[in-house]
Amino acid sequence: TRIDRIEREAVESFNEHMDTVLEILEYENIDRIWIERVGQTVREGRRKVEQTAFDLHIVRSTEEGSTYEDTINHLSESEREVTGLIFALAGYLVHEVYEEVPFMLLDSLEAIDSERIAALVEYFEEHTDFLVVALLPEDAQAIDDRHERITSI
């Protein structure tokens, strides 16, 4: 039951954080991204067993207002990066990694525009004691000056 509980909590955490971050980042044509936990029957040797699978759903809307389900293959690099970051955040929180490792490192965010990076930094800092973000100088300009900066090592 522990694995079952952790899987449920991870899915709930991802879905909640994804909803919030999509609202904050204001991607125009993404209505929602969520994970659905489903059971599927697979063959193990001669017998069939029930296993948990996870389906990633993406709902987009057009300028005309119609909605459709899409796949991760059609997400922009920025959208994929954000989805991956939220997946990592959900795992960090559900598995209580912060108890042993109270910091996060965000790197290689170049695919995300500066304003969205700044919003992500604000969001992620709420969930960890220490947040280290490696940024290009032009992306760092969008970050609030109250954050400590290291410009050379």
Side-chain angles (χ1 to χ4, degrees), residues 2 12 22 31-32 45 60 71 77 94-95 99 104 108 115 134 138 140:
R2 181 172 182 252
E12 289 171 12
L22 285 177
D31 292 341
R32 187 166 179 226
R60 292 187 178 271
T71 67
E77 189 175 357
V94 169
H95 291 285
E99 290 182 359
M104 272 189 227
S108 299
E115 291 76 28
E138 54 271 19

Side-chain angles (χ1 to χ4, degrees), residues 40-51:
Q40 67 183 40
T41 304
V42 296
R43 184 175 288 283
E44 275 188 8
R46 295 182 183 194
R47 59 190 179 114
K48 292 182 181 180
V49 295
E50 190 73 18
Q51 285 187 345

Side-chain angles (χ1 to χ4, degrees), residues 26-108:
E26 299 177 346
Y27 282 106
E28 292 178 10
N29 67 343
I30 296 181
D31 292 341
R32 187 166 179 226
I33 297 176
W34 79 98
I35 293 176
E36 178 184 18
R37 189 171 170 256
V38 295
Q40 67 183 40
T41 304
V42 296
R43 184 175 288 283
E44 275 188 8
R46 295 182 183 194
R47 59 190 179 114
K48 292 182 181 180
V49 295
E50 190 73 18
Q51 285 187 345
T52 302
F54 302 92
D55 290 340
L56 181 67
H57 297 277
I58 300 160
V59 175
R60 292 187 178 271
S61 59
T62 64
E63 290 180 9
E64 296 79 31
S66 60
T67 59
Y68 62 97
E69 189 157 351
D70 204 352
T71 67
I72 196 163
N73 297 337
H74 297 129
L75 291 179
S76 70
E77 189 175 357
S78 170
E79 295 162 345
R80 280 192 308 266
E81 290 287 330
V82 168
T83 302
L85 287 169
I86 299 306
F87 188 78
L89 176 63
Y92 179 82
L93 296 173
V94 169
H95 291 285
E96 300 173 346
V97 175
Y98 52 84
E99 290 182 359
E100 297 293 322
V101 184
F103 76 93
M104 272 189 227
L105 171 65
L106 303 180
D107 191 8
S108 299

Side-chain angles (χ1 to χ4, degrees), residues 133-146:
V133 184
L135 296 173
L136 297 171
E138 54 271 19
D139 291 332
Q141 291 175 357
I143 303 295
D144 192 328
D145 287 335
R146 69 182 171 85

Side-chain angles (χ1 to χ4, degrees), residues 10-21 33 86 123:
V11 167
E12 289 171 12
S13 181
F14 174 87
N15 292 342
E16 289 172 14
H17 290 290
M18 197 74 224
D19 286 346
T20 303
V21 167
I33 297 176
I86 299 306
Y123 188 77

Side-chain angles (χ1 to χ4, degrees), residues 109-121:
L109 302 176
E110 297 83 27
I112 305 168
D113 63 82
S114 299
E115 291 76 28
R116 287 185 174 131
I117 290 173
L120 281 170
V121 167

